[in-house]
Amino acid sequence: MSSSQQPSDLSQQQQNRYPTPSNFGLSTQQLTPQQAQLYTKLQTALLEFNTASSREMDNLVNVNKQLNDAENRTKAELLSLRDLSTKIQHNIVTLNRCTEQLNVKIEQIRTWPEEPVDEIICGSSVVHNQLFELVAEEIAIEDTIYYLDQALSQDKVELNAYMKHVRNLSREQFMKKSLIKKVKTQLGHVE
């Protein structure tokens, strides 16, 4: 059925396809009462059949339209999935390539000789090494005092114990700072 042909047009064509008494050269007056009654029943049955057929055709046209729409949506979704699959494959290839590069770098790093950190981070002379250690100890004392302050404010340490430890640490810190100043003076650093 063409899309321009409407169901009502189809119904009209179906009604015209069936024979009428005039098609046989008879008029309704020439029919016997039984023939006229039979003719009326046939005409009613034919009309009901045509109406039911027309309704069924309308339903089939709607179902066909729904199926066509579903097919178009399915095709669009399939194209989208193919595109997504292509992108995922590209990402997998890229990820594999990066993983291989990382594995090569990891193997290179594993073959490096292991050097002690203390030997790498050191001064150029004994005096520089002494200065380095003094500064590290002074910073450690400062951090310890900070954490004692935190413990006191959270009531995790008593005031007497706090005062005792801070007094000792402050004395030690003062001595470290004094030594740092002496070493810097020996090295010619001006503050």
Side-chain angles (χ1 to χ4, degrees), residues 175-189:
M175 296 301 287
K176 300 285 182 196
K177 283 185 178 184
S178 176
L179 280 171
I180 289 170
K181 192 172 185 179
K182 277 185 182 179
V183 171
K184 283 185 175 180
T185 302
Q186 281 181 351
L187 292 172
H189 292 284

Side-chain angles (χ1 to χ4, degrees), residues 10-11 14 18 46-60:
L10 188 63
S11 175
Q14 288 174 343
Y18 299 107
L46 210 54
L47 187 59
E48 288 173 1
F49 175 77
N50 285 341
T51 304
S53 295
S54 177
R55 229 179 290 127
E56 188 62 31
M57 286 297 282
D58 288 345
N59 288 341
L60 289 174

Side-chain angles (χ1 to χ4, degrees), residues 27-181:
S27 71
T28 47
Q29 285 113 7
Q30 294 175 321
L31 296 175
T32 66
Q34 291 154 337
Q35 288 175 332
Q37 187 181 13
L38 182 60
Y39 172 75
T40 305
K41 283 184 179 181
L42 280 174
Q43 202 171 25
T44 304
L46 210 54
L47 187 59
E48 288 173 1
F49 175 77
N50 285 341
T51 304
S53 295
S54 177
R55 229 179 290 127
E56 188 62 31
M57 286 297 282
D58 288 345
N59 288 341
L60 289 174
V61 166
N62 286 336
V63 167
N64 188 38
K65 183 181 181 305
Q66 291 172 355
L67 288 173
N68 286 337
D69 290 346
E71 180 183 20
N72 290 337
R73 284 192 307 269
T74 304
K75 285 179 182 177
E77 188 66 28
L78 186 61
L79 285 174
S80 174
L81 288 173
R82 284 182 182 152
D83 183 48
L84 181 62
S85 175
T86 302
K87 288 177 183 176
I88 289 172
Q89 290 301 320
H90 174 73
N91 288 344
I92 288 171
V93 168
T94 303
L95 182 63
N96 286 337
R97 187 174 58 243
C98 291
T99 303
E100 288 173 11
Q101 291 171 353
L102 281 174
N103 287 335
V104 167
K105 290 291 182 189
I106 289 170
E107 284 305 314
Q108 287 175 351
I109 290 171
R110 283 186 180 154
T111 61
W112 290 353
E114 195 171 310
E115 297 186 34
V117 176
D118 292 338
E119 291 179 15
I120 295 172
I121 303 174
C122 61
S124 56
S125 68
V126 174
V127 179
H128 282 98
N129 284 338
Q130 184 183 13
L131 178 62
F132 183 77
E133 286 180 27
L134 286 170
V135 169
E137 289 171 4
E138 192 268 327
I139 291 172
I141 291 170
E142 194 173 305
D143 287 346
T144 304
I145 292 172
Y146 170 79
Y147 286 110
L148 279 172
D149 285 342
Q150 295 295 315
L152 179 66
S153 67
Q154 296 172 1
D155 295 328
K156 292 184 178 179
V157 68
E158 292 182 11
L159 182 61
N160 289 338
Y162 168 79
M163 293 299 290
K164 180 182 171 186
H165 288 297
V166 169
R167 191 177 316 116
N168 290 337
L169 288 169
S170 295
R171 189 177 303 119
E172 191 177 340
Q173 186 180 31
F174 176 78
M175 296 301 287
K176 300 285 182 196
K177 283 185 178 184
S178 176
L179 280 171
I180 289 170
K181 192 172 185 179

